[in-house]
Amino acid sequence: KQEVTQIPAALSVPEGENLVLNCSFTDSAIYNLQWFRQDPGKGLTSLLLIQSSQREQTSGRLNASLDKSSGRSTLYIAASQPGDSATYLCAVKITGGGNKLTFGTGTQLKVEL
Amino acid sequence: SAVISQKPSRDICQRGTSLTIQCQVDSQVTMMFWYRQQPGQSLTLIATANQGSEATYESGFVIDKFPISRPNLTFSTLTVSNMSPEDSSIYLCSVERGAGTEAFFGQGTRLTVV
């Protein structure tokens, strides 16, 4: 059974700081991995999708990496802003697991002025 | 991307009643899914909504409790039946244009059962 863990559970940083969020998964036979952000009481916004054959993806100030062999992904946020404050979720889809996304528990990020 | 409209956005319901949640997508998609997010928890897949046939449910979820319809490639409904306070959660619709492609989510329905 695929298990997805995110560390830290919560993080508070001053504006402008670069930061890294971590995602670990137990089954390395993944099809893809996706990062989302969730604002309080809202749905999910897709940030980045990494296919199993890829090592990283970039979008603006965000960079996500994938290391299947170690079962890890990181989301790097450059020059953080108060608007980045949200919960960040990673989700994996395993090979042969149908189309189910297995979600991590999330990292709650607060960027302070 | 995909624009997903989910209704209602929130509701407060009496125990024992049922609520139907609608999910409308701006264009045809291959795959539609329903997730539940209990308070303070991450998302759990309830079922895959199959167009023109019965939904495929995950372990722990049954059709009698969560009947799902998907009459076409742009619309699906999830009903939460015979509700109890334990059903208080955010329910989210998700779509993918093809297997293994990017997943998109609606804004969710926040359900409170009293």
Side-chain angles (χ1 to χ4, degrees), chain A residues 2 4 9 16 18 26 31 37 39 42 44 46 57 59 64 66 74 84 88 96 104 108:
Chain A
Q2 177 74 276
V4 183
N18 302 325
T26 55
Y31 195 87
R37 68 174 279 169
D39 294 285
K42 302 294 185 181
L44 277 64
S46 176
Q57 282 286 338
S59 176
L66 174 63
T74 60
D84 295 330
Y88 289 79
Q108 189 172 2

Side-chain angles (χ1 to χ4, degrees), chain A residues 4-9 21-24 33-39 42-49 64 73 75 77 86-92 101-109, chain B residues 35-37 40-44 92 105:
Chain A
V4 183
T5 305
Q6 291 185 247
I7 295 173
L21 307 181
N22 297 291
C23 173
S24 300
L33 183 146
Q34 196 166 351
W35 283 93
F36 299 88
R37 68 174 279 169
Q38 184 176 32
D39 294 285
K42 302 294 185 181
L44 277 64
T45 299
S46 176
L47 298 174
L48 290 164
L49 171 70
S73 177
L75 179 66
I77 302 176
T87 296
Y88 289 79
L89 296 163
C90 71
V92 299
L101 279 172
T102 301
F103 280 83
T105 48
T107 293
Q108 189 172 2
L109 172 66
Chain B
Y35 286 82
R36 180 176 74 180
Q37 186 176 31
Q41 304 294 314
S42 196
L43 281 75
T44 301
L92 298 112
F105 283 77

